[in-house]
């Protein structure tokens, strides 16, 4: 299944909340949707979830247009908004039962579906608790379970990790990985880029309603200024007295464009790929330098984000 | 052969999900329980007091006086309490954007509104049926007949239904705190008006009996019902139109409060 966003625009009067966004991703992929506040992430996600209509452009979910055939399209989407369920006097099980009924899942299948989802999202132990008695993390899990009730092939998750403690974040991350392995396409927005970096296969970065970059992480690294950071290699040596000879040796090496001493280690800018880095390490070992650590510093999602965005908010 | 469990399962599957959810929430929450307990508690106290009074008095209309009080209390609970509860619940779900999530399931405006009204009607019937034995007990005393009590219960349910339709439909118009206040004031005035009509009708019913009321008051009732039905039709249509539009994005509210031009365009129609 393929999700295609084509030249999506959403204008609110003079404000261009979304202005010509295009990207695509497939089943089994987790795609990060990154941008500063007010960049247009939620608007795009709401259009994908058929809760809003674009001014121009379209989103196709497995070839089904969200504007031309919203009834069909919304059956394929599980949407988890950033606001949590506010129903106070209802238990977790009853809440999920309501949505299963609303999706037209009839008993006895309904009972089986809800129980399997409760088990998957680890809600079995709290199924009889009312929503008002749950922590934010638990509510997020209930919200995710709700989005999964009709087994949609596409999950649209708006800030699912916001306000979660580290344990809940790790649990959510693991759940999303399993869902992706089960073939679901996942579009996830988050401000916690370090968390996002560990699970996403690709990302879309938007700012000011416009797309800055999109693609797999590798593609983004190659296509942005952030790629420069990917070649930095950190080298640690013991004994520390040998750092000067190592520094001089590195400067003489053909692929080393730049190197500088940074306290107890050297940071070298290597022109080339991983193979080049391997050869460089092998050469250093051949020259009998006692390398303690040789680490390629990959650009973080945060660095890429900071490089490609300007921090403007509409 | 069709087993009763199959029939129940089929009925359960056909039930409006919103009705099921609302009833579950009503029974789990404290509000409805309080209404019911206060109603029943007061009935028991009234009945006990009247019983002790009947021993020491020869008053001919003791049953009628008791029933008047019971009917009055029932009307406050059913024509005011339940509609207010239903309206508040609807407005909360509308304001917090939960209704928007319902659309994703394929639940459309008519089903949402109907589900809310049905659940409120069931609560009305539940309260009336729990109070009904006390009303019928009054016929064992003096001054009120079985047809009057039965007609009174039916009238109460009808007025309760009118109140519930009105408040649920009005609550769909709530989008901000200001509109909530406006709806609350307007709804409160309408409910006070409805309650006064209900009380007057009950009073006439108890005085004249159901047959005479129908004979003499049918035309007056028709004239009275026409504007009420018209208002309800307008409110219901307004509710369907309002819920057809996607509810505002929570982000839009945040942006609107910062003076960005989101507010006037929040929500499109589908």
């Amino acid at each position: 299944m393929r999700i295609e966003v084509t030249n999506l625009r959403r204008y609110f009067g003079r404000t261009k909340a979304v202005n010509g966004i295009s990207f695509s991703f497939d089943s089994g992929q987790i795609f990060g949707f990154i941008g500063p506040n007010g960049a247009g992430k939620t608007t795009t996600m709401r259009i994908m979830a058929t809760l809003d209509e674009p001014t121009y452009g379209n989103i196709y979910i497995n070839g089904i247009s969200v504007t031309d055939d919203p009834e069909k399209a919304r059956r394929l989407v599980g949407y988890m908004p950033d606001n949590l369920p506010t129903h106070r006097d209802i238990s977790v099980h009853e809440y999920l039962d309501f949505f299963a009924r609303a999706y037209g899942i009839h008993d006895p299948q309904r009972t089986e579906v809800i129980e399997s989802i409760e088990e998957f999202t680890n809600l079995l132990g709290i199924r009889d608790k009312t929503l008002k008695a749950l922590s934010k993390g638990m509510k997020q899990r209930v919200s995710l379970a709700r989005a999964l009730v009709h087994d949609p092939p596409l999950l649209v998750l708006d800030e699912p990790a916001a306000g979660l403690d580290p344990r809940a974040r790790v649990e959510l991350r693991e759940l999303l990985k399993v869902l992706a392995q089960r073939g679901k396409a996942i579009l996830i927005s988050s401000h916690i880029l370090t968390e996002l970096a560990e699970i996403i296969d690709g990302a879309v970065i938007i700012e000011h309603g416009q797309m800055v970059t999109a693609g797999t992480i590798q593609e983004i690294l190659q296509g942005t200024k952030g790629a420069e950071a990917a070649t930095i290699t950190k080298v640690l040596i013991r004994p520390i007295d040998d750092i000067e000879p190592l520094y001089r040796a590195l400067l003489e090496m053909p692929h080393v464009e730049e190197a500088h001493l940074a306290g107890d280690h050297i940071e070298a800018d290597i022109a080339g790929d991983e193979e080049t880095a391997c050869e460089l390490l092998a050469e250093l070992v051949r020259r009998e330098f006692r390398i303690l650590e040789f680490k390629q510093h990959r650009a973080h999602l945060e660095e890429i984000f900071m490089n490609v965005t300007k921090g403007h908010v509409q | 052969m069709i087993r009763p469990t199959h029939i129940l399962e089929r009925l359960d599957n056909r039930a409006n999900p919103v009705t099921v959810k609302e009833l579950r929430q009503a029974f789990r929450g404290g509000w409805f329980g309080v209404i019911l307990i206060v109603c029943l508690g007061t009935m028991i106290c009234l009945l006990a007091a009247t019983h002790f009074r009947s021993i020491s008095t020869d008053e001919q209309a003791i049953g009628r006086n008791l029933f008047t009080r019971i009917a009055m209390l029932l009307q406050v609970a059913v024509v005011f309490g339940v509609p207010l509860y239903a309206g508040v619940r609807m407005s909360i779900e509308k304001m917090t954007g939960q209704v928007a999530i319902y659309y994703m399931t394929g639940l459309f405006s008519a089903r949402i509104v109907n589900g809310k009204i049905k659940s409120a009607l069931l609560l009305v019937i539940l309260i009336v049926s729990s109070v009904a034995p006390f009303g019928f007990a009054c016929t064992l005393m003096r001054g009120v007949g079985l047809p009057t009590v039965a007609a009174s219960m039916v009238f109460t349910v009808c007025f309760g239904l009118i109140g519930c339709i009105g408040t649920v439909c009005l609550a769909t118009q709530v989008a901000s705190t200001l509109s909530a206040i406006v709806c609350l004031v307007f709804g409160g005035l309408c409910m006070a008006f409805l309650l006064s009509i209900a009380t007057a009708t009950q009073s006439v019913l108890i005085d004249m009996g159901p047959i005479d009321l129908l004979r003499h008051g049918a035309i007056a009732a028709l004239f009275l019902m026409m504007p009420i039905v018209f208002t309800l039709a307008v409110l219901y249509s307004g509710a369907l139109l309002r819920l057809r539009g996607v509810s505002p994005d929570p982000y839009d509210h945040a942006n609107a409060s910062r003076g960005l031009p989101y507010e006037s365009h929040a929500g499109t129609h589908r």
Side-chain angles (χ1 to χ4, degrees):
Chain A
M1 196 188 73
R2 190 164 181 78
I3 292 91
E4 280 184 278
V5 179
T6 54
N7 197 16
L8 196 75
R9 290 160 200 266
R10 179 71 173 105
Y11 301 157
F12 297 101
R14 284 183 181 175
T15 306
K16 294 173 178 175
V18 179
N19 193 14
I21 290 177
S22 301
F23 63 92
S24 62
F25 60 104
D26 297 295
S27 293
Q29 281 191 320
I30 304 178
F31 235 66
F33 203 30
I34 305 161
N37 287 331
K41 301 187 298 291
T42 298
T43 306
T44 307
M45 287 180 143
R46 281 173 60 83
I47 294 170
M48 196 173 274
T50 73
L51 293 177
D52 200 353
E53 281 184 342
T55 311
Y56 187 81
N58 216 328
I59 298 177
Y60 297 95
I61 304 165
N62 208 18
I64 297 164
S65 159
V66 296
T67 54
D68 300 337
D69 207 348
E71 277 80 35
K72 259 190 189 175
R74 65 171 60 112
R75 288 255 152 198
L76 304 173
V77 185
Y79 177 54
M80 184 178 163
D82 59 342
N83 54 335
L84 297 168
T86 51
H87 305 82
R88 288 170 59 82
D89 307 315
I90 195 166
S91 72
V92 171
H93 186 76
E94 288 167 348
Y95 181 73
L96 296 177
D97 180 75
F98 162 62
F99 280 97
R101 282 171 187 270
Y103 276 114
I105 305 169
H106 289 168
D107 247 350
Q109 193 198 351
R110 189 172 64 235
T111 311
E112 287 170 21
V113 165
I114 295 170
E115 276 176 8
S116 69
I117 287 170
E118 283 171 346
E119 194 179 346
F120 176 70
T121 49
N122 203 12
L123 290 170
L124 273 176
I126 56 159
R127 61 185 287 184
D128 294 321
K129 277 193 176 182
T130 52
L131 291 184
K132 68 179 171 188
L134 300 184
S135 66
K136 190 168 185 183
M138 292 290 187
K139 277 186 185 169
Q140 291 277 32
R141 234 188 276 177
V142 173
S143 201
L144 179 65
R146 200 242 328 122
L148 291 170
V149 159
H150 60 303
D151 195 22
L154 168 63
L155 281 174
V156 179
L157 314 175
D158 195 358
E159 299 284 349
L164 298 188
D165 62 45
R167 174 178 284 276
R169 284 215 294 267
V170 170
E171 284 172 357
L172 180 74
R173 205 169 62 203
E174 295 307 314
L175 277 179
L176 295 182
K177 277 183 189 171
V178 173
L179 285 167
Q181 280 163 11
R182 290 185 182 182
K184 295 205 185 294
I186 301 172
L187 182 69
I188 176 173
S189 77
S190 178
H191 284 128
I192 308 159
L193 300 183
T194 45
E195 289 284 332
L196 213 54
E198 289 183 36
I199 53 167
I200 59 172
D201 302 299
V204 185
I205 300 179
I206 63 167
E207 188 182 35
H208 219 56
Q210 289 180 317
M211 199 174 76
V212 179
T213 182
T216 61
I217 294 294
Q218 274 304 318
E219 285 168 353
I220 292 172
L221 283 173
Q222 282 163 12
T224 64
K225 279 183 183 176
E228 291 164 13
T231 58
I232 299 283
T233 301
K234 184 181 171 186
V235 189
L236 254 90
I237 190 168
R238 291 290 180 272
I240 195 75
D241 297 340
D242 288 350
I243 200 161
E244 278 289 331
L246 173 67
Y247 174 62
R248 283 195 294 276
L250 274 171
L251 285 174
E252 289 165 8
M253 304 248 175
H255 296 293
V256 177
E257 291 187 335
E258 205 180 316
H260 64 271
L261 281 162
D264 65 338
H265 68 277
I266 298 165
E267 281 182 5
D269 192 353
I270 302 164
D273 53 11
E274 283 183 341
E275 189 60 34
T276 315
C278 287
E279 282 170 15
L280 180 71
L281 176 61
E283 181 59 30
L284 291 175
V285 173
R286 256 198 304 278
R287 292 189 188 189
E288 295 184 344
F289 284 109
R290 289 161 61 84
I291 306 294
L292 179 70
E293 192 180 323
F294 186 93
K295 193 172 159 189
Q296 253 197 312
H297 172 75
R298 291 187 180 280
H300 293 142
L301 204 54
E302 268 175 336
E303 284 173 307
I304 298 169
F305 178 71
M306 294 307 287
N307 278 335
V308 298
T309 61
K310 299 180 186 84
H312 289 162
V313 178
Q314 285 198 86
Chain B
M1 190 183 151
I2 301 167
R3 282 185 294 174
T5 49
H6 282 181
I7 297 170
L8 285 175
E9 197 173 87
R10 207 173 282 178
L11 281 173
D12 185 44
N13 284 335
R14 285 172 68 92
N16 186 323
V18 179
T19 309
V20 176
K21 178 187 78 74
E22 287 298 319
L23 288 176
R24 280 176 171 164
Q25 282 185 276
F27 294 132
R28 214 178 260 277
W31 219 83
F32 178 71
V34 167
I35 292 180
L36 204 61
I37 288 167
V38 166
C39 260
L40 292 176
T42 316
M43 297 295 155
I44 291 166
C45 292
L46 275 174
L47 201 64
T50 310
H51 172 71
F52 290 120
R53 204 168 145 228
S54 68
I55 296 166
S56 60
T57 181
D58 288 336
E59 192 183 325
Q60 288 301 305
I62 193 159
R64 183 173 148 171
N65 290 342
L66 174 63
F67 182 68
T68 306
R69 287 185 198 119
I70 287 175
M72 177 74 87
L73 189 77
L74 189 61
Q75 276 170 354
V76 172
V78 166
V79 184
F80 193 82
V82 177
L84 184 69
Y85 169 78
V88 167
R89 287 216 42 75
M90 179 74 222
S91 59
I92 289 172
E93 285 189 10
K94 179 76 182 16
M95 279 183 83
T96 53
Q98 293 300 314
V99 177
I101 304 296
Y102 300 168
Y103 288 118
M104 292 211 61
T105 64
L107 282 177
F108 289 105
S109 44
R111 221 162 164 221
I112 296 169
V113 175
N114 292 348
K116 296 266 180 191
I117 293 170
K118 273 186 207 168
S119 65
L121 177 64
L122 287 170
L123 294 181
V124 163
I125 291 171
L126 192 73
I127 291 180
V128 171
S129 57
S130 64
V131 171
F134 296 97
F136 287 113
C138 296
T139 60
L140 301 175
M141 299 171 194
R142 293 172 291 271
V144 67
L146 260 177
T148 304
V149 173
S152 169
M153 297 296 163
V154 172
F155 273 122
T156 307
V157 171
C158 290
F159 279 112
L161 177 62
I162 291 169
C164 292
I165 295 173
T167 52
V168 168
C169 293
L170 196 63
T172 59
Q173 306 299 325
V174 170
S176 61
T177 314
L178 183 68
S179 59
I181 293 166
V182 171
C183 285
L184 196 65
V185 170
F186 180 68
L189 289 172
C190 287
M191 282 204 295
F193 177 65
L194 190 68
L195 192 61
S196 64
I197 295 173
T199 313
T201 310
Q202 290 285 2
S203 169
V204 175
L205 174 72
I206 293 166
D207 281 344
M208 295 171 74
I211 308 293
D212 282 347
L213 179 70
L214 277 176
R215 198 179 293 155
H216 300 293
I219 296 169
L222 201 66
F223 274 108
L224 193 68
M225 284 311 288
M226 272 164 62
I228 291 176
V229 169
F230 177 75
T231 310
L232 288 183
V234 170
L235 283 173
Y236 187 76
S237 310
L240 297 191
L241 283 172
R242 182 72 182 177
L243 288 186
R244 267 179 74 197
V246 174
S247 71
D249 180 348
Y251 267 159
D252 293 349
H253 282 303
N255 287 333
S257 66
R258 293 203 299 265
L260 286 168
Y262 275 91
E263 195 174 46
S264 58
H265 301 274
T268 56
H269 293 279
R270 173 148 296 164

